[in-house]
Amino acid sequence: AQSVTQLGSHVSVSEGALVLLRCNYSSSVPPYLFWYVQYPNQGLQLLLKYTSAATLVKGINGFEAEFKKSETSFHLTKPSAHMSDAAEYFCVLANQAGTALIFGKGTTLSVSS
Amino acid sequence: NAGVTQTPKFRVLKTGQSMTLLCAQDMNHEYMYWYRQDPGMGLRLIHYSVGEGTTAKGEVPDGYNVSRLKKQNFLLGLESAAPSQTSVYFCASRSGTFPGELFFGEGSRLTVL
């Protein structure tokens, strides 16, 4: 069965520090992976997506993620956190049929000054 | 440019009452989805549709019904609301191109007393 596991439900960093949000997946077929972000009281929006074209994927707002097949991971990083990055982040896996997306439980990122 | 619009945004129901959530998209998307979001659970798929006149069950379909009579609209119905259905409901849509970006509405907060 396909699944997504986000390690750590809450991550706290200082402004300017490295952001690292961890995601591991399980899939018997080559996966399509995404990161979505949800700002307080809003819907979700796409940060970036991996579709096998390149293992290092760049997204909006300075975020990037690296696909590592050997580790079944798709961790999200940003070199320097901003206060505006405080939000909930979801790692997402497309299902095998290509009809729906499977969401991780989410990681809340807090940024302190 | 409205994107995905959900109505109503807030609703309080008593146990046993019925209601319908409406999702409308103006992007001519083939796929539409209803998710529910609960603390610590991420987003769980309730039902989805791959085109006008089609619907399919997701991960947590019990207690909900859906209809897609028009391509732009996807309705989620609760026939007899239960307190366990207290949640934030998100509608999303995407084009038929896989794996396309999901576009989300702003959510509908439902409380069942």
Side-chain angles (χ1 to χ4, degrees):
Chain A
Q2 292 181 290
S3 65
V4 175
T5 302
Q6 292 184 240
L7 304 175
S9 59
H10 198 167
V11 171
S12 297
V13 300
S14 300
E15 196 170 22
L18 171 72
V19 175
L20 171 61
L21 304 183
R22 301 176 187 272
C23 172
N24 288 92
Y25 70 91
S26 174
S27 178
S28 58
V29 299
Y32 291 108
L33 292 157
F34 310 77
W35 277 97
Y36 278 79
V37 61
Q38 183 181 29
Y39 298 104
N41 299 313
Q42 295 186 25
L44 285 76
Q45 63 185 79
L46 181 67
L47 265 183
L48 49 82
K49 65 180 179 183
Y50 167 75
T51 59
S52 77
T55 57
L56 184 61
V57 182
K58 295 188 182 299
I60 62 172
N61 301 334
F63 284 93
E64 62 182 36
E66 186 172 10
F67 174 74
K68 292 186 176 180
K69 183 178 178 181
S70 60
E71 299 178 7
T72 61
S73 69
F74 190 56
H75 301 332
L76 180 71
T77 60
K78 182 174 180 177
S80 176
H82 293 174
M83 297 292 287
S84 60
D85 294 327
E88 189 161 19
Y89 293 80
F90 294 93
C91 184
V92 184
L93 172 69
N95 71 352
Q96 287 183 235
T99 53
L101 298 187
I102 302 165
F103 282 75
K105 295 190 186 308
T107 298
T108 299
L109 175 66
S110 299
V111 183
S112 58
S113 57
Chain B
N1 193 3
V4 178
T5 303
Q6 295 181 226
T7 54
K9 289 186 171 41
F10 301 93
R11 184 75 186 269
V12 178
L13 288 178
K14 294 181 179 179
T15 297
Q17 288 185 316
S18 63
M19 75 158 296
T20 300
L21 296 176
L22 169 63
C23 177
Q25 52 95 2
D26 62 1
M27 297 171 282
N28 201 35
H29 283 168
E30 293 293 332
Y31 289 73
M32 295 188 74
Y33 303 85
W34 276 108
Y35 287 90
R36 60 177 289 173
Q37 183 178 27
D38 303 291
M41 301 294 289
L43 274 73
R44 292 180 292 170
L45 182 63
I46 304 171
H47 286 281
Y48 64 99
S49 168
V50 301
E52 181 178 317
T54 74
T55 62
K57 294 180 180 180
E59 181 185 356
V60 289
D62 294 342
Y64 304 95
N65 57 75
V66 288
S67 64
R68 183 110 182 259
L69 300 179
K70 293 183 178 181
K71 186 176 184 179
Q72 64 267 33
N73 295 338
F74 194 31
L75 278 64
L76 177 71
L78 286 71
E79 290 186 346
S80 180
S84 60
Q85 294 178 303
T86 293
S87 187
V88 181
Y89 292 86
F90 285 98
C91 177
S93 71
R94 70 170 177 89
S95 69
T97 304
F98 184 77
E101 176 180 353
L102 274 184
F103 292 84
F104 283 84
E106 292 189 346
S108 298
R109 183 175 296 275
L110 174 65
T111 301
V112 183
L113 302 176

